[in-house]
Coordinates of all heavy atoms in Angstrom, one line a residue:
I797 N 7.1 0.0 -10.3 CA 7.0 0.3 -11.7 C 5.9 -0.5 -12.4 O 5.2 -0.1 -13.2 CB 8.4 0.2 -12.5 CG1 9.3 1.2 -12.0 CG2 8.2 0.2 -13.9 CD1 10.8 1.0 -12.5
N798 N 5.9 -1.8 -12.0 CA 4.9 -2.7 -12.6 C 3.5 -2.4 -12.0 O 2.6 -2.4 -12.8 CB 5.2 -4.1 -12.2 CG 4.4 -5.1 -12.9 OD1 3.3 -5.5 -12.5 ND2 4.8 -5.5 -14.1
I799 N 3.4 -1.9 -10.8 CA 2.1 -1.4 -10.4 C 1.6 -0.3 -11.3 O 0.4 -0.2 -11.7 CB 2.1 -1.0 -8.9 CG1 2.4 -2.2 -8.0 CG2 0.9 -0.2 -8.5 CD1 1.1 -3.0 -7.7
L800 N 2.4 0.7 -11.5 CA 2.1 1.8 -12.4 C 1.8 1.4 -13.8 O 0.7 1.9 -14.3 CB 3.2 2.8 -12.3 CG 3.1 4.1 -13.2 CD1 1.9 4.9 -12.6 CD2 4.3 4.9 -13.3
L801 N 2.6 0.5 -14.4 CA 2.3 0.1 -15.7 C 1.0 -0.7 -15.8 O 0.2 -0.6 -16.8 CB 3.4 -0.8 -16.2 CG 4.7 0.0 -16.6 CD1 5.9 -1.0 -16.8 CD2 4.5 0.9 -17.8
T802 N 0.7 -1.5 -14.8 CA -0.6 -2.3 -14.8 C -1.7 -1.3 -14.7 O -2.8 -1.6 -15.2 CB -0.5 -3.3 -13.6 OG1 0.6 -4.1 -13.8 CG2 -1.8 -4.2 -13.7
L803 N -1.6 -0.3 -13.8 CA -2.7 0.7 -13.8 C -3.0 1.5 -15.1 O -4.0 1.8 -15.4 CB -2.4 1.7 -12.6 CG -2.5 1.1 -11.2 CD1 -2.1 2.1 -10.2 CD2 -3.9 0.6 -10.9
L804 N -1.9 1.7 -15.8 CA -2.0 2.4 -17.1 C -2.5 1.5 -18.2 O -3.1 2.0 -19.2 CB -0.6 3.0 -17.5 CG -0.1 4.1 -16.6 CD1 1.3 4.4 -17.0 CD2 -1.0 5.3 -16.6
G805 N -2.3 0.2 -17.9 CA -2.8 -0.8 -19.0 C -2.3 -2.2 -18.6 O -1.2 -2.4 -18.2
Y806 N -3.2 -3.1 -18.8 CA -2.8 -4.5 -18.4 C -1.6 -5.0 -19.2 O -0.7 -5.7 -18.7 CB -4.0 -5.4 -18.7 CG -3.7 -6.9 -18.4 CD1 -3.6 -7.4 -17.2 CD2 -3.6 -7.8 -19.5 CE1 -3.3 -8.7 -16.9 CE2 -3.3 -9.1 -19.4 CZ -3.2 -9.6 -18.0 OH -2.9 -10.9 -17.8
I807 N -1.6 -4.8 -20.5 CA -0.5 -5.3 -21.4 C 0.9 -4.8 -21.0 O 1.8 -5.6 -21.0 CB -0.9 -5.0 -22.8 CG1 -2.2 -5.8 -23.3 CG2 0.2 -5.6 -23.8 CD1 -2.2 -7.2 -23.1
P808 N 1.0 -3.5 -20.8 CA 2.3 -3.0 -20.4 C 2.8 -3.6 -19.1 O 4.0 -4.0 -18.9 CB 2.2 -1.5 -20.2 CG 1.1 -1.1 -21.1 CD 0.1 -2.3 -21.1
G809 N 1.9 -3.8 -18.1 CA 2.3 -4.5 -16.9 C 2.6 -5.9 -17.1 O 3.6 -6.4 -16.5
L810 N 1.9 -6.6 -18.0 CA 2.2 -7.9 -18.3 C 3.6 -8.1 -19.0 O 4.4 -9.0 -18.6 CB 1.1 -8.6 -19.2 CG 1.3 -10.0 -19.6 CD1 1.3 -11.0 -18.4 CD2 0.2 -10.4 -20.6
I811 N 3.9 -7.3 -20.0 CA 5.1 -7.3 -20.6 C 6.3 -7.1 -19.7 O 7.3 -7.8 -19.7 CB 5.1 -6.4 -21.8 CG1 4.2 -6.9 -22.9 CG2 6.5 -6.2 -22.4 CD1 4.0 -5.8 -24.0
H812 N 6.2 -6.1 -18.8 CA 7.2 -5.8 -17.8 C 7.4 -6.9 -16.9 O 8.5 -7.3 -16.5 CB 6.8 -4.5 -17.1 CG 7.8 -4.1 -16.1 ND1 7.7 -4.3 -14.8 CD2 9.0 -3.5 -16.2 CE1 8.6 -3.9 -14.1 NE2 9.5 -3.4 -14.9
A813 N 6.3 -7.5 -16.4 CA 6.4 -8.7 -15.5 C 7.1 -9.9 -16.1 O 8.0 -10.4 -15.4 CB 5.0 -9.0 -15.0
I814 N 6.8 -10.2 -17.3 CA 7.5 -11.3 -17.9 C 8.9 -11.0 -18.2 O 9.8 -11.9 -18.1 CB 6.7 -11.7 -19.2 CG1 5.3 -12.3 -18.8 CG2 7.5 -12.8 -20.0 CD1 4.5 -12.9 -19.8
W815 N 9.2 -9.8 -18.5 CA 10.7 -9.4 -18.8 C 11.4 -9.5 -17.5 O 12.5 -10.0 -17.4 CB 10.7 -8.0 -19.3 CG 12.1 -7.4 -19.5 CD1 13.0 -7.9 -20.4 CD2 12.7 -6.5 -18.6 NE1 14.2 -7.2 -20.2 CE2 14.0 -6.3 -19.2 CE3 12.3 -5.7 -17.6 CZ2 14.9 -5.4 -18.6 CZ3 13.2 -4.8 -17.1 CH2 14.5 -4.7 -17.5
I816 N 10.9 -9.1 -16.3 CA 11.5 -9.1 -15.1 C 11.7 -10.6 -14.6 O 12.8 -11.0 -14.2 CB 10.8 -8.4 -14.0 CG1 10.8 -6.9 -14.2 CG2 11.2 -8.7 -12.6 CD1 12.1 -6.2 -14.1
I817 N 10.7 -11.4 -14.9 CA 10.8 -12.8 -14.5 C 11.8 -13.6 -15.3 O 12.6 -14.4 -14.8 CB 9.5 -13.5 -14.5 CG1 8.6 -12.9 -13.4 CG2 9.5 -15.0 -14.3 CD1 7.1 -13.2 -13.5
T818 N 11.9 -13.4 -16.6 CA 12.7 -14.2 -17.5 C 14.2 -13.7 -17.5 O 15.0 -14.5 -18.0 CB 12.1 -14.2 -18.9 OG1 12.0 -12.8 -19.4 CG2 10.8 -14.9 -18.9
R819 N 14.5 -12.5 -17.1 CA 15.9 -12.1 -17.2 C 16.6 -12.8 -16.1 O 16.1 -13.0 -15.0 CB 16.1 -10.5 -17.1 CG 15.8 -10.0 -15.8 CD 15.9 -8.5 -15.8 NE 15.7 -8.1 -14.4 CZ 16.2 -7.1 -13.8 NH1 17.0 -6.2 -14.6 NH2 16.0 -6.8 -12.6
K820 N 17.9 -13.1 -16.3 CA 18.6 -14.0 -15.4 C 19.5 -13.3 -14.4 O 20.1 -13.9 -13.6 CB 19.5 -15.0 -16.3 CG 18.6 -15.9 -17.0 CD 17.8 -16.8 -16.1 CE 17.0 -17.8 -16.9 NZ 16.0 -18.5 -16.1
T821 N 19.5 -12.0 -14.4 CA 20.4 -11.3 -13.4 C 19.6 -11.1 -12.1 O 18.6 -10.4 -12.0 CB 20.8 -9.9 -14.0 OG1 19.7 -9.2 -14.3 CG2 21.7 -10.1 -15.2
N822 N 20.0 -11.7 -11.1 CA 19.4 -11.5 -9.8 C 20.4 -10.9 -8.7 O 21.5 -11.2 -8.7 CB 18.9 -12.8 -9.2 CG 17.7 -13.3 -9.9 OD1 17.0 -12.5 -10.4 ND2 17.5 -14.6 -9.9

């Protein structure tokens, strides 16, 4: 999903990446 969002635009990919990294459920 992040690959797709980054290809569509850098900012959506960046927001998604930071959201994935900062959420605490693993």
Side-chain angles (χ1 to χ4, degrees):
I797 290 172
N798 191 267
I799 292 279
L800 179 64
L801 288 171
T802 303
L803 289 174
L804 293 174
Y806 174 77
I807 299 298
L810 177 62
I811 292 170
H812 180 258
I814 292 184
W815 176 70
I816 292 296
I817 292 168
T818 58
R819 73 182 184 150
K820 293 297 180 189
T821 58
N822 285 336

